[in-house]
Amino acid sequence: MAAIPAHACDCHVHVVGDSQRYPMLPDRPYTAGPASIADLRAHLARIGFERAVIIQPSFYGVDNQCLLDALHEMEGNARGIAVAAPSVSDSELKKMDEAGVRGLRLNLESTGLRDAASLKTTLQKWASRIAGLGWHLQVYAAYPVLKPCLPWLGALPVPVVIDHFGLVPLNSMDSERDAAALAQALSDGDLYVKLSGAYRIPGGTPEGVAQLAQILVTAQADKLVWASDWPHTNREPGKASTQVSRFRDVSAAQLLDEIAQWLHGTDAARKILSDNPARLYRF
């Protein structure tokens, strides 16, 4: 592919701070090791990117202090996606916006929730709260949860960003139909899909994920963003939730190779890596 464009943005990374300063939830689903701002900057340098979107991880719950401190340290080169309790005040949301937060994350998958009706209710409630901020809602959920929501997701009063290819299963007889449905949803409303986390897709192979990416790029390149999913958090089998699970081993070369496979044409690459994130996250 062509060189990485100027102002390229990695739209899904996590920062994991010192455990004494930023305690994790006692009932967290897993424990990640440290991933500092220095580590993040080194990661961005390895892939030739300038910007990042820092996502609130599940193990911090609704305590966004690590995220907010990370945004401050990144000196304008990062935006954030927070997690908030329903009781959060409008003034608190406004302060987060001033700090660089641009949306809220609804994470069903990490907690094993598979209720589409609950997702719909939650999306509708939050959409009305954040519409005036110019924020969006980011959804991490299994495809069977997302599928019944696709016809109306793009009609909410705020954009919706779907994490990790929507976790479209590539080991199903309906894989092609599901990919087409996701591509159609991109064209029908204010909906985005994040090209990221190939290792999280059920039945995903390099060839299968590349084909899925190309279907989405062909359908609507203006509604896609790319992300590394750094530092590649993982829940190791057999580990207690309070034991540190090692990060997945994903090299910069592998990430750049995925970009080359998924994005064809310099115009699509510029849109997905730079232009779309600048618009969506208001850089």
Side-chain angles (χ1 to χ4, degrees), residues 164-165 167-172 175-176 178-180 182 195-199 201-217 258 261-262:
H164 307 321
F165 287 94
L167 298 182
V168 171
L170 299 181
N171 54 357
S172 163
S175 294
E176 291 186 14
D178 291 338
L182 185 60
L195 307 181
S196 64
Y199 41 72
I201 298 175
T205 63
E207 296 76 19
V209 176
Q211 183 177 12
L212 174 59
Q214 289 157 22
I215 289 171
L216 298 176
V217 170
E258 286 181 343
Q261 292 181 42
W262 297 354

Side-chain angles (χ1 to χ4, degrees), residues 59-124:
F59 44 75
Y60 285 140
V62 298
D63 182 350
N64 294 281
Q65 194 58 54
C66 183
L67 167 65
L68 296 173
D69 289 348
L71 292 175
H72 178 74
E73 287 190 59
M74 286 295 289
E75 300 177 324
N77 287 319
R79 298 292 185 264
I81 301 298
V83 175
S87 59
V88 67
S89 68
D90 290 343
S91 62
E92 288 177 280
L93 294 175
K94 179 63 175 175
K95 287 179 181 178
M96 286 196 282
D97 180 71
E98 293 169 354
V101 172
R102 294 295 179 260
L104 294 179
R105 186 187 197 199
L106 304 180
N107 184 346
L108 280 70
E109 183 63 11
S110 291
T111 53
L113 296 178
R114 299 294 174 95
D115 184 357
S118 176
L119 174 61
K120 182 175 183 179
T121 299
T122 304
L123 282 166
Q124 290 172 331

Side-chain angles (χ1 to χ4, degrees), residues 3-52:
I4 299 297
H7 309 308
C9 181
D10 185 340
C11 295
H12 195 115
V13 303
H14 300 294
V15 171
V16 187
D18 177 80
S19 60
Q20 297 300 312
R21 185 175 180 184
Y22 306 107
M24 298 182 185
L25 294 172
D27 59 346
R28 57 192 177 272
Y30 71 102
T31 299
S36 69
I37 290 295
D39 295 330
L40 172 58
R41 288 195 175 112
H43 155 72
L44 293 174
R46 285 192 295 270
I47 61 174
F49 278 49
E50 298 175 37
R51 297 169 171 171

